[in-house]
């Protein structure tokens, strides 16, 4: 059963920010994640602030410099099907199409996708874990088959649940954020918080702040992108492992770009190790094999998730092979 809370539907970003500045206020976009959290009483709530009347937060458009602007309330379905995304930001369209089920993509928004809460079953169940202010991470010695292999830092071993975050980070996207102190632009690489920095936060958003839009710079000529996700169930599921590529080619050589992993770490995990291996090279079988080896260098699997090592290696091999032939 849902707890009782105040519900407001402000008509302006400023009014939403004012409402969200109250203690225990939560933004409500599509509600596909939030309502489950409230029903399960994962965190206390005093006020739910619906963003649904903020029309300026909807829609996808091209920016003057040829980049992409996506309003935070834009649904994942809209992004997955949008001609601009499909044509020039294929990896993002693919990532949006991989989220959940058609119903979730029709209701879920890009802002909510970036700000959703972790899916760790201890966090979501009746365990007062570190992330909920307790003293223990129950995954360390528990059922940790879906947990992280990078970035746990000995504290909390969630994986970041978002598919689109990795694709957006691969495209070097920025979140525009409105809050009580005004507007700021945050590169997605600075948006997410590792447990070693603050185990109780997933993003750097301060009280009262909301994401209003995402901006992606124009992709450099020769950019090829993709998003690939492996999950336990075909119908809907979160990523066991995901790979977002946005690589820039000059002829057959890779001359730049990014590789970002989902299902690997508490934040979307940029694999600079793979980027370094492929930089300046043709994607020959040897280079691809070296990149596949590099992707899990430094990984620290837990007792039940070592399968992710070979999974990520195989995915990098397949994705680089595929992007080389585009
Ligand atoms: C069965 C199921 C399967 C799912 N599968 C996947 C999956 O495969 N991949 C995946 O990535 N996700 C998945 N999700 C998670 C979720 O549905 C999506 O991430 C969705 O995009 C969330 O968007 P929403 O608009 O519904 O967010 P909401 O539920 O409205 O909000 C989620 C969180 O973000 C905050 N928030 C929302 N909008 C903003 C904003 N603009 N600024 C600041 N904070 C904000 C809310 O306060 C809340 O804490 C799944 C969820 C369910 C229930």
């Amino acid at each position: 059963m849902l707890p009782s809370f105040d519900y407001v539907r402000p008509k302006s970003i400023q009014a939403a920010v004012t409402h969200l500045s109250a203690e225990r206020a939560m933004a409500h976009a599509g509600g596909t994640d939030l309502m489950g959290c409230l029903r399960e009483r994962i965190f206390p709530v005093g006020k739910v602030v619906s963003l649904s009347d903020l029309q300026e937060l909807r829609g996808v458009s091209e920016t003057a410099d040829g980049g992409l602007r996506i309003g935070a309330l834009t649904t994942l379905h809209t992004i997955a099907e949008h001609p601009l995304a499909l044509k020039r930001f294929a990896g993002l369209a693919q990532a949006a199409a991989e989220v959940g089920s058609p119903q979730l993509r029709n209701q879920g928004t890009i802002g909510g996708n970036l700000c959703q809460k972790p899916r760790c079953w201890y966090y979501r169940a009746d365990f007062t874990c570190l992330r909920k202010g307790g003293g223990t991470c129950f995954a360390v010695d528990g059922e940790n088959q879906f947990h992280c292999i990078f970035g746990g830092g000995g504290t909390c071993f969630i994986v970041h649940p978002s598919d689109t975050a990795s694709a957006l980070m691969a495209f070097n996207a920025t979140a525009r954020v409105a809050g009580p102190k005004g507007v700021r632009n945050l590169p997605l690489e600075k948006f997410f918080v590792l447990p070693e920095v603050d185990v109780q936060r997933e993003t750097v958003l301060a009280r009262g702040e909301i994401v209003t839009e995402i901006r992606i710079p124009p992709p450099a000529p020769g950019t090829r992108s993709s998003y690939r996700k492996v999950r336990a169930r075909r119908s809907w599921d979160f990523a066991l492992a995901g790979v977002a590529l946005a690589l820039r080619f000059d002829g057959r050589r890779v001359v730049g770009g990014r590789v970002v992993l989902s299902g690997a770490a508490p934040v979307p995990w940029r694999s600079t190790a793979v980027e370094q291996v492929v930089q300046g090279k043709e994607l020959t079988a040897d280079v691809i094999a070296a990149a596949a080896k590099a992707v899990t260098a430094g990984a620290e699997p837990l007792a039940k998730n070592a399968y992710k090592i070979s999974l990520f290696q195989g995915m990098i091999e397949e994705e680089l092979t595929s992007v080389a032939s585009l």
Side-chain angles (χ1 to χ4, degrees):
M1 206 171 81
L2 281 171
S4 59
F5 47 76
D6 294 337
Y7 177 82
V8 289
R9 203 189 291 171
K11 305 283 181 223
S12 70
I13 293 175
Q14 190 49 52
V17 164
T18 302
H19 279 297
L20 284 164
S21 300
E23 205 178 335
R24 296 183 174 177
M26 293 296 294
H28 176 284
T32 59
D33 178 53
L34 180 70
M35 298 315 282
C37 290
L38 298 188
R39 242 189 333 264
E40 300 301 328
R41 302 183 185 232
I42 311 291
F43 42 76
V45 65
K47 191 195 288 189
V48 170
V49 181
S50 169
L51 306 180
S52 58
D53 278 352
L54 306 180
Q55 294 309 324
E56 64 268 50
L57 265 55
R58 294 186 195 276
V60 179
S61 55
E62 191 167 19
T63 55
D65 62 358
L68 205 62
R69 180 236 173 233
I70 309 173
L73 273 189
T74 308
T75 66
L76 297 161
H77 171 76
T78 301
I79 297 166
E81 302 278 310
H82 200 280
L84 277 173
L86 287 165
K87 193 169 167 208
R88 297 181 51 225
F89 304 90
L92 173 62
Q94 288 162 10
E98 285 286 346
V99 174
S101 60
Q103 292 89 337
L104 285 160
R105 293 193 292 276
N106 274 320
Q107 180 70 16
T109 66
I110 190 81
N113 194 264
L114 296 178
C115 299
Q116 62 179 299
K117 292 291 181 180
R119 285 279 155 182
C120 169
W121 41 32
Y122 296 106
Y123 174 78
R124 293 268 170 168
D126 211 6
F127 291 84
T128 310
C129 68
L130 275 174
R131 196 161 283 274
K132 289 197 285 200
T136 308
C137 169
F138 296 92
V140 179
D141 297 318
E143 295 301 318
N144 51 38
Q145 46 272 55
F146 300 136
H147 290 75
C148 69
I149 57 169
F150 290 111
T155 44
C156 166
F157 294 86
I158 61 162
V159 289
H160 197 276
S162 167
D163 288 304
T164 64
S166 302
L168 287 169
M169 198 186 279
F171 279 117
N172 195 15
T174 296
R176 195 169 170 83
V177 169
K181 294 183 181 161
V183 171
R184 57 181 179 144
N185 294 302
L186 283 166
L188 281 199
E189 274 190 279
K190 300 199 169 144
F191 185 78
F192 302 101
V193 177
L194 277 168
E196 67 198 30
V197 177
D198 187 338
V199 76
Q200 289 186 31
R201 297 170 69 137
E202 292 81 37
T203 72
V204 296
L205 293 181
R207 188 195 289 183
E209 285 191 320
I210 53 168
V211 177
T212 56
E213 65 186 46
I214 313 295
R215 288 210 176 219
I216 312 181
T223 299
R224 303 177 197 172
S225 69
S226 70
Y227 181 75
R228 168 94 185 281
K229 168 177 176 180
V230 170
R231 50 185 154 172
R233 282 179 294 192
R234 188 66 205 134
S235 53
W236 66 262
D237 219 332
F238 292 87
L240 294 175
V243 172
L245 302 180
L247 293 178
R248 192 151 46 87
F249 285 75
D250 179 6
R252 296 160 74 97
R253 264 184 332 116
V254 175
V255 290
R258 294 178 172 201
V259 177
V260 186
L261 310 180
S262 312
V267 299
W269 191 256
R270 190 164 166 200
S271 181
T272 49
V274 171
E275 293 169 14
Q276 280 162 15
V277 170
V278 299
Q279 175 65 28
K281 311 224 181 73
E282 268 187 45
L283 294 180
T284 60
D286 285 349
V287 170
I288 289 174
K293 203 168 162 203
V295 71
T296 50
E300 295 180 315
L302 299 162
K304 298 187 178 180
N305 69 1
Y307 70 93
K308 288 197 178 191
I309 300 282
S310 46
L311 189 51
F312 274 112
Q313 291 179 349
M315 288 175 78
I316 282 290
E317 200 172 318
E318 285 189 8
E319 283 310 282
L320 288 178
T321 305
S322 154
V323 87
S325 65
L326 286 178

